[in-house]
């Protein structure tokens, strides 16, 4: 097997794996707060307490994956191109 075919097969397998992850779980953990939705603060005694909500995910702790975002964009463009609404005049005379 040539190196080109081996590299393309590996790239195909990785791409197929990422597509299946995006289809199965379109949301991943926020990279900034690590899925918690807020920061961790410590009080004067050293005990952990809840901080402010994460500004990146707005306190949800989840984000849309890049592959799912691209799929949503493609689907929106596809649907906009398919819808042709004919000009219908509901009160026009038939004849």
């Amino acid at each position: 097997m040539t190196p080109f075919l081996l590299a393309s097969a590996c790239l195909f397998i990785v791409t197929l794996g990422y597509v299946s992850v995006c289809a199965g779980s379109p949301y991943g953990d926020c990279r900034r707060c690590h899925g918690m939705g807020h920061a961790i603060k410590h009080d004067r005694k050293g005990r952990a307490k809840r901080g402010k909500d994460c500004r990146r995910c707005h306190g949800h702790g989840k984000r849309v994956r890049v592959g799912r975002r691209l799929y949503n964009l493609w689907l929106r463009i596809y649907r906009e191109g398919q819808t042709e609404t004919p000009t219908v005049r509901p009160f026009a005379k038939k004849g």
Side-chain angles (χ1 to χ4, degrees):
M1 187 175 240
T2 63
F4 177 73
L5 287 176
L6 184 64
S8 61
C10 289
L11 184 63
F12 179 72
I13 290 171
V14 169
T15 303
L16 190 63
Y18 184 69
V19 166
S20 64
V21 166
C22 287
S25 175
Y27 298 101
D29 289 339
C30 176
R31 291 188 186 118
R32 186 169 188 175
C33 65
H34 303 291
M36 293 190 64
H38 57 83
I40 301 291
K41 288 175 62 176
H42 297 285
D43 61 359
R44 297 167 93 192
K45 294 182 181 179
R47 291 183 294 212
K49 65 182 222 179
R50 180 182 166 95
K52 293 182 179 180
D53 284 345
C54 178
R55 290 177 18 183
R56 188 172 189 176
C57 65
H58 304 290
H60 296 288
K62 296 292 180 184
R63 64 173 177 82
V64 179
R65 295 184 193 271
V66 175
R68 185 61 183 212
R69 193 177 304 257
L70 290 173
Y71 175 73
N72 290 344
L73 177 67
W74 174 80
L75 194 63
R76 187 180 317 122
I77 290 171
Y78 178 76
R79 286 181 179 163
E80 287 175 358
Q82 292 296 316
T83 57
E84 287 187 21
T85 55
T87 56
V88 177
R89 296 174 40 194
F91 299 112
K93 291 183 181 179
K94 296 179 182 175

